[in-house]
């Protein structure tokens, strides 16, 4: 993913939220608008190489990460506009 692609993904996330948000430990994910209606606010958002993104609460962060492990190129923490390279993600 180029720097322009990352910037486009961040702009989309800032306006609409991530593409999907994980809502349970089985990896079920819904659109951001539905997650908000359910009262689910992601603490982390992973960005895939094609610009698709997946948010998760702290409790479901590992579930979200594992869904596309190997395809993530970056991640963002809630309250930050900065994308951190996935190489810097603290995998347990």
């Amino acid at each position: 993913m180029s720097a322009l692609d990352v910037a486009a993904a961040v702009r989309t996330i800032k306006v609409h939220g991530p593409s999907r948000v994980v809502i349970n430990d089985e990896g079920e994910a819904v659109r951001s608008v539905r997650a908000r209606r359910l009262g689910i606010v992601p603490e982390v958002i992973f960005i895939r190489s094609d610009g698709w993104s997946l948010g998760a609460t702290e409790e479901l962060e590992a579930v979200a990460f594992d869904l596309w492990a190997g395809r993530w190129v970056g991640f963002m923490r809630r309250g930050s506009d900065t994308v951190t390279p996935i190489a810097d993600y603290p995998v347990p």
Side-chain angles (χ1 to χ4, degrees):
M1 179 178 246
S2 73
L4 290 175
D5 294 336
V6 170
V10 170
R11 282 192 303 274
T12 299
I13 290 166
K14 287 169 74 173
V15 173
H16 303 288
S19 303
R20 296 283 186 271
V21 177
V22 173
I23 61 168
N24 61 37
D25 59 2
E26 295 175 3
E28 182 181 358
V30 298
R31 291 181 356 182
S32 286
V33 66
R34 181 158 181 230
R36 283 191 297 271
R37 285 188 202 135
L38 294 170
I40 300 170
V41 178
E43 292 295 325
V44 64
I45 299 172
F46 296 103
I47 301 172
R48 209 167 56 185
S49 59
D50 60 2
W52 188 82
S53 57
L54 183 63
T57 61
E58 187 175 320
E59 297 79 19
L60 296 172
E61 186 170 335
V63 172
F65 179 82
D66 289 344
L67 287 172
W68 293 97
R71 296 277 312 273
W72 303 125
V73 295
F75 69 100
M76 299 170 64
R77 293 281 175 193
R78 184 173 169 198
S80 174
D81 291 340
T82 304
V83 175
T84 303
I86 202 65
D88 296 337
Y89 182 71
V91 180

